[in-house]
């Protein structure tokens, strides 16, 4: 039995197989409509979510399975003091696979050590968000035809954005990737990430100006400033409008640059950009369903 805690839990070969399966699911959904008949997924969300929880629930439903779970820690026995370890032992009696989101870094990992069923990390604090990364990689591979040879700009809250940390970790395994980290000083990518890039000899630059970076980018990954991770409301208010992607800013971008965003968006991409051909964030959300369908099938197969 295997769990998914980090995108690095899958080899690049296993990721390729996963994306091939997700592509087949996209093209032939009827083939998979009963693939999980009789199976149950538990979605245990101790932190708010729209995309991750509902795309998992949509994925399991489209595979013919059923879903149980909670979307708020206060409606679970966590509110009475139950530990994650005890909760997952009990969920193991009710479901065949579990997706867990938790505000504490490492909580899904703790659950995995006690679980009798595969556990998927659906986001743990500011740490990792592996299924968003699978979604991002699947979107890039499908829309750009490859995962190698790109200059990738990551813009916004690179300090607290777990999707950013997971995506960088995953992309370093592909060839000829150059990162441009675009953030204010206070929201720079953590040192452990730049140290890892230095060790692996991966090229990157850290800049403040989105305008200067824009013409070089093959992909622009925008992120929201993570209000829920700030200790100080004033800092959040000061930084939340630092980058706003507008039509005017895109005049300097390559004509085939892909604009990605894990969503939710607050104000960092102007809605007028949604009509730009390069805006791919809603397609990205759609790819999230196919890749989660493929993940559920793969982890259940390995658990047999
Ligand atoms: N991208 C993402 O994780 O969105 P949700 O918080 O809505 O799940």
């Amino acid at each position: 039995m295997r769990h998914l805690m980090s995108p690095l839990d899958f080899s690049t070969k296993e990721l390729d197989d996963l994306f091939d399966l997700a592509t087949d699911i996209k093209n032939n959904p009827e083939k998979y409509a009963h693939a999980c008949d009789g199976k149950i997924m538990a979605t245990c969300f101790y932190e708010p979510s729209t995309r991750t929880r509902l795309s998992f629930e949509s994925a399991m439903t489209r595979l013919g399975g059923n879903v149980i779970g909670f979307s708020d820690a206060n409606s679970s026995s966590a509110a009475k003091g139950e530990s994650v370890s005890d909760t997952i032992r009990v969920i193991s009696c009710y479901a065949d696979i579990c997706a867990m989101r938790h505000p504490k870094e490492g909580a899904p990992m703790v659950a995995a050590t006690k679980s009798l069923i595969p556990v998927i990390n659906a986001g743990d604090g500011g740490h990792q968000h592996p299924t968003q990364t699978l979604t991002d990689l699947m979107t890039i591979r499908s829309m750009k035809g490859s995962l190698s040879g790109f200059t990738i700009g990551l813009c916004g809250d690179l300090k607290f954005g777990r999707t950013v940390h997971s995506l960088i970790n995953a992309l370093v395994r592909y060839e000829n990737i150059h990162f441009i980290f675009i953030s204010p000083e206070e929201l720079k990518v953590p040192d452990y990430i730049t140290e890892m890039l230095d060790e692996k000899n991966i090229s990157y630059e850290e800049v403040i100006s989105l305008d200067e970076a824009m013409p070089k980018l093959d992909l622009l990954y925008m992120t929201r400033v993570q209000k829920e991770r700030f200790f100080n409301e004033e800092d959040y208010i000061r930084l939340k409008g630092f980058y706003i992607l507008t039509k005017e800013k895109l005049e300097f971008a390559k004509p085939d640059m892909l604009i990605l965003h894990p969503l939710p968006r607050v104000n960092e991409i102007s809605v007028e950009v949604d009509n730009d051909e390069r805006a791919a964030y809603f397609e990205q959300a759609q790819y999230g369903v196919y890749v989660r369908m493929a993940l559920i099938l793969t982890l259940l197969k390995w658990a047999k």
Side-chain angles (χ1 to χ4, degrees):
M1 185 176 72
R2 283 174 60 180
H3 309 282
L4 179 72
M5 294 296 120
S6 149
L8 301 183
D9 292 348
F10 279 38
S11 68
T12 50
K13 165 77 175 71
E14 286 169 341
L15 286 182
D16 271 344
D17 292 345
L18 189 82
F19 299 144
D20 288 344
L21 177 58
T23 303
D24 197 49
I25 290 169
K26 175 176 182 280
N27 295 335
N28 305 288
E30 67 292 342
K31 248 171 75 179
Y32 299 90
H34 297 285
C36 283
D37 279 356
K39 297 288 182 192
I40 296 175
M41 162 164 258
T43 52
C44 300
F45 277 60
Y46 295 81
E47 202 183 49
S49 167
T50 296
R51 270 145 299 278
T52 311
R53 185 172 66 83
L54 296 182
S55 64
F56 266 121
E57 297 189 359
S58 172
M60 191 49 155
T61 307
R62 285 168 193 268
L63 291 168
N66 290 299
V67 181
I68 57 173
F70 52 87
S71 58
D72 176 2
N74 288 324
S75 68
S76 79
S77 284
K80 302 175 206 159
E82 187 172 52
S83 68
V84 163
S85 303
D86 283 357
T87 301
I88 195 67
R89 283 303 301 270
V90 173
I91 297 286
S92 297
C93 305
Y94 304 155
D96 301 286
I97 188 165
C98 173
M100 178 179 287
R101 171 170 289 189
H102 203 286
K104 285 205 179 123
E105 283 88 354
M109 175 68 94
V110 170
T113 61
K114 300 287 179 191
S115 180
L116 307 178
I117 58 174
V119 177
I120 300 166
N121 177 3
D124 61 329
H127 184 219
Q128 297 274 343
H129 193 345
T131 63
Q132 181 63 50
T133 300
L134 300 184
T135 301
D136 300 340
L137 296 180
M138 170 85 189
T139 307
I140 297 167
R141 195 182 91 143
S142 301
M143 299 186 83
K144 285 288 208 182
S146 169
L147 287 166
S148 300
F150 297 124
T151 295
I152 301 174
L154 296 115
C155 178
D157 185 349
L158 309 188
K159 179 178 179 183
F160 295 116
R162 60 192 171 199
T163 62
V164 167
H165 307 157
S166 277
L167 184 59
I168 297 167
N169 265 324
L171 281 169
V172 297
R173 298 194 293 184
Y174 297 92
E175 286 175 9
N176 296 324
I177 295 291
H178 175 65
F179 292 108
I180 305 186
F181 300 133
I182 308 152
S183 73
E185 196 61 33
E186 297 92 327
L187 297 178
K188 279 172 72 173
V189 76
D191 288 346
Y192 79 88
I193 300 244
T194 48
E195 283 162 15
M196 178 270 291
L197 295 174
D198 290 336
E199 262 171 39
K200 292 183 187 294
N201 223 7
I202 308 283
S203 72
Y204 69 91
E205 50 194 294
E206 295 184 275
V207 301
I208 295 176
S209 167
L210 174 58
D211 292 348
E212 275 175 36
M214 190 72 88
K216 303 183 202 168
L217 303 178
D218 301 305
L219 294 155
L220 173 59
Y221 194 90
M222 292 296 293
T223 62
R224 124 191 113 85
V225 176
Q226 305 270 306
K227 182 179 183 185
E228 63 276 31
R229 316 256 177 250
F230 273 75
F231 294 111
N232 180 336
E233 174 94 15
E234 272 172 33
D235 285 346
Y236 169 70
I237 290 167
R238 184 168 52 80
L239 292 167
K240 78 175 175 146
F242 206 93
Y243 299 108
I244 299 181
L245 185 64
T246 58
K247 259 166 66 172
E248 289 70 38
K249 286 193 187 293
L250 283 169
E251 279 171 25
F252 304 100
K254 291 183 183 174
D256 62 347
M257 184 189 76
L258 212 56
I259 307 166
L260 299 176
H261 191 311
L263 303 177
R265 146 176 73 183
V266 181
N267 62 342
E268 59 281 355
I269 301 183
S270 169
V271 288
E272 68 194 10
V273 173
D274 298 356
N275 296 326
D276 192 291
E277 285 185 343
R278 294 165 286 194
Y281 28 92
F282 293 118
E283 283 93 335
Q284 191 180 354
Q286 177 74 61
Y287 279 114
V289 178
Y290 305 127
V291 88
R292 288 184 175 96
M293 289 171 80
L295 179 65
I296 292 167
L297 285 175
T298 302
L299 291 179
L300 285 177
K301 187 176 82 183
W302 287 342
K304 271 183 190 159

